[in-house]
Amino acid sequence: MRAVTFRDVGDFQIEDVPKPSLQAASDVLLKVTLGAICGSDLHIYHGHTPINPGAVIGHEFTGVIEEVGPEVRRFRAGDRVVASFFTACGHCYLCRRGWFAQCVDKGTFGHGEYFGNLGGGQAEWVVVPLADHTLEVIPEGMSDEQAIFVGDILSTAYFGAERAEIRPGDTVAVIGAGPVGLLAVMAAQLFGPARVYAVDMIDARLELAQELGAIPVNAAEVHPVEFLEKATHGHGVDRSIECVGLISAVDTAFECVRGGGTISMVGVPSKTEWQFPIMQAWMKDLTFRAGWCNVQAYMRPLLDLVAAGRLQPERIISHRMRLEEAPEAYRMFDAREATKIVLTP
Ligand code: NAD
Ligand code: ZN
């Protein structure tokens, strides 16, 4: 089958690799119908995520089930499904407490040997282990483009907004207007804020953020913390959602909130350590949260919100390309010439 593989830093190729087959009784074989390129794939592309050469890339995908293992209960061949970007067993101590992202059996799709050795979704087929707790059926009438993001970036954006504790009337700053930040702008609005600001440096992304209801803040033109302070009569915003992962963005997220505010970080940290401003946090009564999204807990309600027309995540798609065009798609996404690219096998 055709698949996007990691060859070297900055070198993803489209290659022929063996078609995967069921290995365990809880597996499902999926014929991929749509894949998407994520900011997390760029961490691999830049060599920041360790991965073995030849690994198939891709953790955002939808598909049609071709084969089910004998222990799979919730799905049948022919079902249209969307996958979480990681697997969960559903039975362990932390899954039973609703923390699927902390599952003892967690593996991440498209991240090679060091993250559970799962296949990737930027391919024609993918095997989904622990399918009963990793997949959701796509509601009838919903397109793959509408559904795909609940498996990763829409859930992440919602998770970030929920953990920011937004209350009606709040001011919210979303730091980073990449795909995650843009969806955070959308998700934040479900909680009734008075104003949502979106901070980035890329005009096209800031324009889209504005179309989605945010007030754009171009960090290449103004100092974002000073701008937000002025905009909130010197107080700072009530909540910030960090959607970048670079330390400079975490600093902005921290510095732009008022006393008693909340900082919610979902960007993957670019460094393993960061000097936590404990005195500032203490003096200002701040709440800081960070984390890997607990996707499985959000897929079903988010699919319902999309079905009801209250979220339109497909609005962030800027380019629709063929799987065969993946190397060019990565170049474009890395160069910020595209906001979100989906690939059709
Ligand atoms: P992206 O790289 O496309 O977007 C990042 C955006 O941040 C870009 O538009 C960039 O211009 C902007 N930016 C860079 N530095 C900035 C700064 N100092 N201030 C403001 N904006 C700045 O990535 P994405 O797909 O939107 O993903 C965002 C992050 O979320 C990535 O780190 C990704 O790995 C992470 N992520 C986390 C989870 C999770 O479970 N927590 C899930 C999915 C993605
Ligand atoms: Zn992702």
Side-chain angles (χ1 to χ4, degrees):
M1 68 165 185
R2 303 292 279 162
V4 179
T5 58
F6 173 85
R7 277 291 135 218
D8 207 336
V9 174
D11 182 12
F12 282 11
Q13 296 193 4
I14 174 99
E15 288 190 286
D16 277 317
V17 301
K19 180 180 169 184
S21 54
L22 300 190
Q23 304 293 318
S26 56
D27 287 0
V28 145
L29 176 68
L30 207 64
K31 176 97 174 75
V32 177
T33 50
L34 196 68
I37 298 181
C38 177
S40 300
D41 295 324
L42 286 186
H43 300 318
I44 301 175
Y45 195 68
H46 292 145
H48 300 147
T49 304
I51 193 164
N52 52 301
V56 177
I57 305 298
H59 57 271
E60 299 183 357
F61 54 93
T62 59
V64 176
I65 292 179
E66 247 182 41
E67 252 184 276
V68 295
E71 280 176 17
V72 174
R73 295 278 170 271
R74 294 179 57 219
F75 305 101
R76 287 182 296 196
D79 284 347
R80 282 179 64 227
V81 291
V82 54
S84 165
F85 74 92
F86 59 87
T87 58
C89 75
H91 307 296
C92 72
Y93 177 80
L94 285 162
C95 275
R96 296 311 303 154
R97 295 190 150 221
W99 271 101
F100 305 97
Q102 303 301 322
C103 174
V104 291
D105 255 348
K106 182 171 76 177
T108 307
F109 292 101
H111 277 69
E113 288 171 7
Y114 312 115
F115 289 85
N117 208 15
L118 306 187
Q122 289 168 22
E124 290 178 280
W125 283 272
V126 62
V127 164
V128 176
L130 303 169
D132 278 338
H133 303 284
T134 305
L135 298 172
E136 285 295 333
V137 166
I138 300 174
E140 217 171 299
M142 188 182 293
S143 70
D144 291 340
E145 289 189 358
Q146 290 173 296
I148 188 168
F149 302 136
V150 306
D152 184 357
I153 57 169
L154 180 57
S155 287
T156 297
Y158 185 91
F159 175 77
E162 185 183 66
R163 282 157 55 96
E165 302 177 307
I166 304 164
R167 304 207 179 120
D170 276 353
T171 47
V172 179
V174 174
I175 314 302
V180 173
L182 290 165
L183 292 180
V185 166
M186 266 186 224
Q189 286 164 7
L190 294 169
F191 298 88
R195 287 188 182 80
V196 178
Y197 298 89
V199 181
D200 205 294
M201 304 83 153
I202 299 170
D203 289 332
R205 293 182 174 194
L206 287 168
E207 279 162 28
L208 183 51
Q210 188 168 17
E211 281 170 35
L212 298 175
I215 300 162
V217 181
N218 191 333
E221 291 168 5
V222 295
H223 190 290
V225 176
E226 285 171 13
F227 179 95
L228 291 167
E229 228 171 63
K230 247 190 225 154
T232 53
H233 311 290
H235 302 298
V237 295
D238 299 302
R239 324 283 167 194
S240 68
I241 310 172
E242 194 284 339
C243 304
V244 185
L246 296 173
I247 300 305
S248 58
V250 184
D251 286 339
T252 303
F254 226 92
E255 285 160 19
C256 72
V257 294
R258 56 137 169 107
T262 309
I263 301 117
S264 174
M265 172 183 181
V266 293
V268 176
S270 61
K271 285 188 179 170
T272 51
E273 283 177 26
W274 164 59
Q275 200 162 357
F276 185 76
I278 192 167
M279 185 57 82
Q280 191 186 348
W282 188 85
M283 293 291 287
K284 288 181 74 180
D285 295 314
L286 299 179
T287 300
F288 176 72
R289 293 201 173 85
W292 179 302
C293 176
N294 189 30
V295 174
Q296 275 77 341
Y298 297 93
M299 289 168 85
R300 196 31 62 191
L302 287 173
L303 284 168
D304 288 342
L305 281 162
V306 175
R310 298 207 49 205
L311 289 171
Q312 288 131 14
E314 72 283 3
R315 288 179 68 187
I316 68 163
I317 297 173
S318 61
H319 292 73
R320 295 164 174 87
M321 297 171 77
R322 308 288 309 171
L323 184 67
E324 293 289 325
E325 298 174 286
E328 169 61 3
Y330 271 98
R331 188 204 61 73
M332 290 169 63
F333 187 54
D334 186 39
R336 313 288 194 208
E337 290 169 21
T339 300
K340 186 72 180 179
I341 303 177
V342 290
L343 301 170
T344 309

